[in-house]
């Protein structure tokens, strides 16, 4: 979880998350294998059910990172 918190802390207006990093990070948040071809929406749903703050093991900051990653992934993915 500290790794994801650090990823979120690196994102600022001056240093946004590179869009090339969005899909790999989304896969990490979803716990998917790197070569997995799961659609972005399904990866998001899987990660959201894991990290949502209302869940017992959820985390608000990781969920914020997930939101940003998903936004970029949808915008730039083929």
């Amino acid at each position: 979880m500290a790794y994801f918190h650090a990823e979120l802390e690196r994102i600022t207006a001056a240093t946004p998350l590179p869009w090339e990093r969005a899909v790999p990070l989304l896969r990490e948040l979803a716990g998917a294998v790197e070569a997995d071809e799961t659609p972005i929406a399904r990866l998001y749903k899987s990660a959201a059910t894991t990290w949502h703050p209302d869940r017992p093991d959820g985390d608000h900051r990781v969920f914020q990172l997930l939101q940003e990653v998903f936004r970029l992934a949808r915008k730039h993915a083929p």
Side-chain angles (χ1 to χ4, degrees):
M1 191 175 324
Y3 168 74
F4 294 131
H5 286 188
E7 285 282 340
L8 179 62
E9 290 172 12
R10 284 189 213 117
I11 301 171
T12 66
T15 58
L17 181 69
W19 68 268
E20 299 90 354
R21 179 76 176 110
V23 173
L25 190 53
L26 180 59
R27 290 189 193 293
E28 289 179 49
L29 286 162
V33 179
E34 187 174 321
D36 188 0
E37 293 298 322
T38 303
I40 290 170
R42 189 170 295 163
L43 289 170
Y44 172 77
K45 185 175 180 179
S46 174
T49 58
T50 301
W51 296 109
H52 196 279
D54 290 344
R55 303 223 7 132
D57 292 336
D59 187 274
H60 179 71
R61 292 173 60 201
V62 176
F63 194 72
Q64 286 179 313
L65 174 63
L66 173 61
Q67 297 299 318
E68 179 63 14
V69 166
F70 182 57
R71 184 187 68 77
L72 284 172
R74 280 191 328 178
K75 185 176 180 181
H76 294 285

